[in-house]
Amino acid sequence: MLPVIDRPAIQIVVEEAIAAGIDDILIISSPYKKVMEDHFDRAFELEARLAAKGKLAEVEAIRAIGSQAQVHFVRQGEPRGLGHAVSMARRHVGDEPFAVLLPDDIMVDGGCLLRGMIDALAVTGRSVVALKEFPSSEISNYGCVAHGPIEAGSPLVSISGLVEKPKAEDAPSNLAVMGRYVLTPAIFEHLEAIEPGAGGEIQLTDGLDRLRRADGMSGFVFSEGRYDIGQKQDFLRATVELALQHPELGPNFARFLASLTPRLP
Ligand code: G1P
C-alpha cells in the first residue's frame, strides 16, 4: 500500500496488468492486509465518502479499475514462500496461461513488457520470465538464469537453467529474473512437487526450473522502466519518473527539476 505520488504501489501494478490486456486479477495477500481489499472495494459508501471529501480523482481511478477488471483476493495463511503463494492461485487460474506480477517491482512502461511476454507465450506456447542484466555484485539478490545465445533485435532467449539467489561466483549469467512471469498452468504441478529450497521456502524459481526441464522456457530481456520500490534509490527514481508523466503535476515538476540542475554536482 506504499503510495508512489498518489497511488498505492499495488494499484500501479493492477493498472499495468489492465494496460497489458488482463481483465481478471487475483491478489494473494496475507491475513494482515485487509486494507488492500478495502482499497479496491467499490462499496457505494466508500465512494460517497471520498466524493464528499472532494477526492473525485481517487474515486474515478478506483471506478475505472472496477469497470476494466475483476479484482479478487485470496489469503496465504502462512508465509511459506513465493512458490507457495503462487500455488494459492491454482483453482482460480484453472487451465489457462496467466501472469504473475510481484508488486514490489513496479514497471513504468504502460504495460509494454507484460504485453510483449503475453504475445511471446501465444506464439511459442512456452512460459516466459522477464530478465534484466545486473552487475555480478548484485546478482545474488535475484533468481538468475543460464541461457542460450542472445540474438540481435529479439528480446527472447532460451533458458537452460534457473537458480535462486546464487553467489556471484556461482551465477550462470548476469541476467536476473524480474518480478514478471507469464506461465502455463503446468507450473502448479511442479510447485506441488518441490521441497522447500533457499531460505527454507517453497521457491517459485525451483518450480520454474522443473517446468523448464519439462516444457522449455523463454526469457524476455528488457532494460528500462523497472523500479524496486523496496530500495530507497529506486523508490525515488520511480517517484520522479511517474511525477514527470503525471498529467497535472508533470509540467511544473519538470520546470522544478530543471531549476535544480545548476545545483547538481
Ligand atoms: C523474488 C524471486 C526472485 C526474483 C525477485 C525479483 O525474490 O524469488 O527469483 O529475482 O523476486 O524481484 P524476492 O524479491 O522476493 O526476494
Side-chain angles (χ1 to χ4, degrees):
M1 291 300 290
L2 182 68
V4 189
I5 307 179
D6 50 6
R7 289 173 296 165
I10 187 73
Q11 184 177 331
I12 296 176
V13 173
V14 164
E15 289 176 0
E16 175 197 340
I18 291 172
I22 290 171
D23 62 6
D24 187 280
I25 291 161
L26 178 69
I27 298 182
I28 299 162
S29 71
S30 79
Y32 312 104
K33 295 195 177 150
K34 198 171 171 310
V35 64
M36 225 150 41
E37 287 174 51
D38 291 344
H39 181 74
F40 288 101
D41 194 354
R42 289 206 48 224
F44 171 76
E45 200 194 330
L46 174 74
E47 289 182 14
R49 228 177 321 124
L50 283 171
K53 284 190 194 157
K55 298 194 167 179
L56 295 175
E58 283 86 342
V59 174
E60 261 324 299
I62 295 290
R63 274 192 194 145
I65 289 176
S67 66
Q68 292 171 82
Q70 294 249 3
V71 182
H72 308 270
F73 290 86
V74 65
R75 299 267 169 84
Q76 183 192 21
E78 283 174 81
R80 290 177 54 201
L82 177 59
H84 177 252
V86 171
S87 69
M88 303 287 302
R90 186 171 194 166
R91 284 184 64 164
H92 189 88
V93 165
D95 55 9
E96 281 183 70
F98 66 106
V100 176
L101 292 82
L102 308 186
D104 41 6
D105 282 352
I106 63 171
M107 291 296 308
V108 183
D109 73 340
C112 207
L113 168 69
L114 194 57
R115 233 182 354 256
M117 294 171 69
I118 292 171
D119 290 347
L121 182 141
V123 171
T124 64
R126 294 159 119 202
S127 295
V128 189
V129 302
L131 298 175
K132 185 171 186 297
E133 194 175 341
F134 280 85
S136 304
S137 56
E138 292 177 37
I139 214 83
S140 64
N141 296 323
Y142 302 105
C144 178
V145 298
H147 60 85
I150 297 183
E151 282 168 33
S154 167
L156 290 183
V157 291
S158 183
I159 293 182
S160 51
L162 291 107
V163 50
E164 180 67 7
K165 304 198 171 94
K167 289 190 195 136
E169 58 270 30
D170 300 332
S173 76
N174 279 22
L175 287 180
V177 178
M178 299 289 95
R180 298 295 180 273
Y181 311 78
V182 177
L183 305 175
T184 63
I187 185 66
F188 294 118
E189 67 204 53
H190 296 294
L191 287 174
E192 264 162 36
I194 58 175
E195 298 292 325
E201 298 191 339
I202 304 284
Q203 293 291 351
L204 178 59
T205 304
D206 296 342
L208 291 172
D209 200 38
R210 276 184 62 116
L211 175 65
R212 167 200 69 78
R213 257 179 269 135
D215 299 344
M217 186 170 288
S218 308
F220 194 105
V221 184
F222 74 102
S223 55
E224 301 293 321
R226 175 257 182 192
Y227 299 98
D228 175 354
I229 55 158
Q231 306 289 333
K232 289 176 199 164
Q233 279 283 349
D234 256 18
F235 180 77
L236 279 173
R237 290 192 188 111
T239 305
V240 170
E241 193 168 341
L242 285 166
L244 288 171
Q245 289 178 6
H246 195 287
E248 287 152 38
L249 308 175
N252 270 337
F253 190 66
R255 278 191 285 278
F256 166 70
L257 285 184
S259 77
L260 294 183
T261 311
R263 284 200 243 154
L264 293 179

